[in-house]
Amino acid sequence: MSGPFVLYHKIATPPRDARIRGGYTPPKRFAKQMALLKKQGFVFYTASELIEYVREHGSFPPDGLAITFDDGWKDNYENAFPVLRQLGIKATIFLIPSCIGQVSAKAMSQGEGGRAHLSLQNILEMSKHGIEFGSHTLNHRLLHQIPSDEVKFEVEESKRQIEALLCKPCKVFAYPGGHFNASASQLVKDAGYTAAFTTTYGAIQHLDFYALNRIEILRRDRFLFQFARKINRSV
Ligand SMILES: [Zn+2]
């Protein structure tokens, strides 16, 4: 079981010069995937709502699903939000506060150019319409590679900034690159987050709220049947 959390990155066709294309899901394909999930009868929660449900009931809700996006790309507003809104699908986006309104390469793979992130206005509009915002650190630092005082700062300061922007609690966290260690997950817990997500797609034996797996949807999940199999096998 990987838990009923789905992970997307960019909802866009990869630009010609993109060297790493795995994180791009073309907009039309995304729309078909969301329509399929809706048709299959899934009930959509934000990530923190699903966590609250599990803490209360001891298991995930039947047919419950949370759609999540890492990095807070502007294409999430342009290409995913209209689909989500039309279908009434809630979702959670993990933001990098230092990148809001910026064209930045902080969350791109090494050697890739900068890319536009959500503006504050985009975020405020989405926040009004069922989109939850979590933290993906202040600067997209890889937490297993930096000293714990820097981890603490990245984890705490991003939460503080997101809460100041939205006037809502920032409850959930996603590790950049999915990387963490015991000390990082403890600092995330101490900062007051209710859960933290990795990007790993794989089986787990027990539920660790600070190392939750997600079903990662990649460009190679081209056909709708592949997508459906991936979701239904994991949920
Ligand atoms: Zn990321």
Side-chain angles (χ1 to χ4, degrees):
M1 175 178 96
S2 125
F5 300 95
V6 182
L7 166 62
Y8 286 96
H9 302 267
K10 307 172 186 81
I11 306 302
T13 44
R16 254 166 230 268
D17 60 351
R19 292 197 293 183
I20 295 167
R21 294 163 171 250
Y24 292 85
T25 298
K28 278 189 190 152
R29 196 183 298 168
F30 176 77
K32 280 188 192 163
Q33 292 174 348
M34 291 303 108
L36 177 74
L37 296 179
K38 192 85 187 172
K39 205 173 106 189
Q40 290 191 333
F42 283 105
V43 181
F44 297 92
Y45 294 76
T46 64
S48 71
E49 286 172 349
L50 263 191
I51 296 303
E52 277 154 34
Y53 187 102
V54 179
R55 286 186 188 272
E56 205 174 309
H57 298 88
S59 64
F60 288 110
D63 303 325
L65 204 59
I67 307 295
T68 73
F69 300 83
D70 276 5
D71 305 322
W73 301 110
K74 191 157 190 88
D75 61 51
N76 294 179
Y77 175 81
E78 292 165 342
N79 301 328
F81 181 52
V83 174
L84 297 171
R85 232 187 128 171
Q86 199 195 351
L87 295 172
I89 295 178
K90 293 178 177 184
T92 300
I93 297 178
F94 293 97
L95 293 173
I96 307 155
S98 69
C99 292
I100 293 171
Q102 308 285 316
V103 172
S104 169
K106 279 182 190 173
M108 299 294 283
S109 304
Q110 214 171 7
E112 300 275 314
R115 187 171 172 83
H117 286 266
L118 295 166
S119 68
L120 178 55
Q121 208 182 358
N122 297 155
I123 293 166
L124 293 174
E125 187 186 336
M126 294 166 97
S127 177
K128 269 194 234 163
H129 293 99
I131 309 295
E132 167 179 52
F133 292 92
S135 165
H136 197 40
T137 73
L138 188 62
N139 294 292
H140 208 268
R141 304 288 304 280
L142 303 180
L143 300 184
H144 65 313
Q145 293 179 344
I146 59 175
S148 63
D149 58 331
E150 290 180 37
V151 173
K152 189 168 161 29
F153 176 73
E154 287 288 326
V155 163
E156 289 180 355
E157 180 60 15
S158 57
K159 188 176 198 293
R160 194 194 64 75
Q161 290 193 16
I162 291 167
E163 290 178 345
L165 289 178
L166 294 174
C167 301
K168 288 181 184 174
C170 173
K171 296 177 178 173
V172 283
F173 183 89
Y175 302 105
H179 299 295
F180 67 100
N181 52 29
S183 131
S185 74
Q186 187 61 46
L187 288 165
V188 169
K189 193 174 178 180
D190 293 345
Y193 295 97
T194 61
F197 295 87
T198 71
T199 58
T200 325
Y201 170 59
I204 50 167
Q205 300 308 317
H206 71 286
L207 205 57
D208 177 348
F209 284 107
Y210 295 90
L212 290 163
N213 286 331
R214 290 178 288 176
I215 308 158
E216 190 171 20
I217 305 302
L218 294 166
R219 199 173 132 81
R220 66 166 180 266
D221 301 310
R222 243 183 103 183
F223 298 106
L224 208 52
F225 77 86
Q226 293 174 309
F227 171 79
R229 196 164 58 194
K230 204 165 178 175
I231 300 283
N232 291 303
R233 195 172 52 196
S234 313
V235 174

